[in-house]
């Protein structure tokens, strides 16, 4: 069982930056693929980014955030981060951290086994 807790959300103006953190419990953090998803009111939960540690770090991003967001992980601290730059109003959503027991690139929510409670990100125009 893994517990995930997100933090770092808030209100920011368009063009600004935020860094989200996700703290994971347990000693098996490095065995999981970690991902970030987001969900805006009335919309489906959508993939944002994922990172997989497999003899090095592999990352994958949704087209909508590529070049603006960076996912990273610190296995020693059991923490994954999402650095968000050049934020746009359409980035406004609740952001969720997720963990998957599969060490593969996964872009759908059903591939993830554990979820955090979410943190609100609001980008004003």
């Amino acid at each position: 069982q893994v517990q995930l807790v997100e933090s770092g959300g808030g209100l920011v103006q368009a063009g600004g930056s935020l860094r989200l953190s996700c703290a994971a419990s347990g000693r098996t953090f490095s065995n999981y693929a970690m991902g970030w998803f987001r969900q805006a009111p009335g919309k489906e939960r959508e993939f944002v980014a994922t990172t997989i540690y497999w003899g090095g770090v592999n990352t994958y991003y949704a087209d909508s955030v590529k070049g603006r967001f960076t996912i990273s992980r610190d296995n020693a601290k059991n923490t994954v981060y999402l650095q968000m730059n050049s934020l746009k109003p359409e980035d406004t959503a609740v952001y969720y951290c997720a963990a998957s027991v599969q060490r593969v690139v996964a872009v759908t929510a059903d591939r993830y086994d554990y979820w955090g409670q979410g943190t609100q990100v609001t980008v004003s125009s």
Side-chain angles (χ1 to χ4, degrees), residues 10-28:
L11 175 65
V12 65
Q13 294 184 42
S17 299
L18 285 173
R19 189 179 77 158
L20 306 183
S21 298
C22 174
S25 66
R27 299 182 297 163
T28 60

Side-chain angles (χ1 to χ4, degrees), residues 22-40:
C22 174
S25 66
R27 299 182 297 163
T28 60
F29 177 80
S30 63
N31 294 330
Y32 297 114
M34 302 297 298
W36 287 96
F37 287 76
R38 65 187 183 186
Q39 187 167 20

